[in-house]
Coordinates of all heavy atoms in Angstrom, one line a residue:
R144 N 8.7 50.9 8.1 CA 8.1 52.3 7.9 C 8.5 53.1 9.1 O 8.5 52.7 10.2 CB 6.6 52.2 7.8 CG 6.0 51.2 6.8 CD 5.4 51.9 5.6 NE 4.4 52.9 5.9 CZ 3.1 52.7 5.7 NH1 2.6 51.5 5.3 NH2 2.2 53.7 5.9
A145 N 8.7 54.4 8.8 CA 9.0 55.3 9.9 C 8.2 56.6 9.6 O 7.9 56.9 8.5 CB 10.5 55.6 10.1
H146 N 8.0 57.4 10.7 CA 7.3 58.7 10.5 C 6.0 58.6 9.9 O 5.6 59.3 9.0 CB 8.2 59.7 9.8 CG 9.6 59.8 10.2 ND1 10.0 60.1 11.5 CD2 10.8 59.5 9.5 CE1 11.4 60.0 11.5 NE2 11.8 59.7 10.4
R147 N 5.2 57.5 10.3 CA 4.0 57.2 9.7 C 3.0 58.4 9.6 O 2.8 59.1 10.6 CB 3.3 56.1 10.4 CG 3.7 54.8 10.0 CD 3.0 53.7 10.7 NE 3.6 52.4 10.4 CZ 3.1 51.5 9.6 NH1 1.9 51.7 9.1 NH2 3.7 50.4 9.4
G148 N 2.5 58.7 8.4 CA 1.5 59.7 8.3 C 2.1 61.1 8.1 O 1.4 62.1 7.7
L149 N 3.3 61.3 8.4 CA 4.0 62.6 8.3 C 4.5 62.8 6.9 O 4.7 61.8 6.2 CB 5.1 62.7 9.3 CG 4.7 62.6 10.8 CD1 5.9 62.6 11.7 CD2 3.7 63.7 11.2
P150 N 4.7 64.1 6.5 CA 5.2 64.3 5.1 C 6.6 63.6 4.9 O 6.9 63.2 3.8 CB 5.4 65.8 5.1 CG 4.6 66.3 6.2 CD 4.5 65.3 7.2
E151 N 7.3 63.4 6.0 CA 8.7 62.7 5.8 C 8.6 61.2 6.0 O 9.6 60.6 6.2 CB 9.7 63.4 6.7 CG 9.4 63.7 8.1 CD 8.6 65.0 8.3 OE1 9.1 66.1 8.1 OE2 7.4 64.9 8.5
E152 N 7.4 60.7 5.9 CA 7.3 59.2 6.1 C 8.2 58.5 5.1 O 8.4 58.9 3.9 CB 5.8 58.8 5.8 CG 5.6 57.3 5.9 CD 4.2 56.9 6.0 OE1 3.3 57.7 6.0 OE2 3.9 55.6 6.2
V153 N 8.8 57.4 5.6 CA 9.6 56.6 4.7 C 9.3 55.1 4.8 O 8.8 54.6 5.9 CB 11.1 56.8 5.1 CG1 11.4 56.8 6.6 CG2 12.1 55.8 4.4
G154 N 9.3 54.4 3.7 CA 9.1 53.0 3.7 C 10.2 52.3 2.9 O 10.6 52.8 1.8

Side-chain angles (χ1 to χ4, degrees):
R144 304 254 307 256
H146 314 302
R147 274 182 190 252
L149 298 176
E151 41 284 287
E152 180 166 0
V153 45

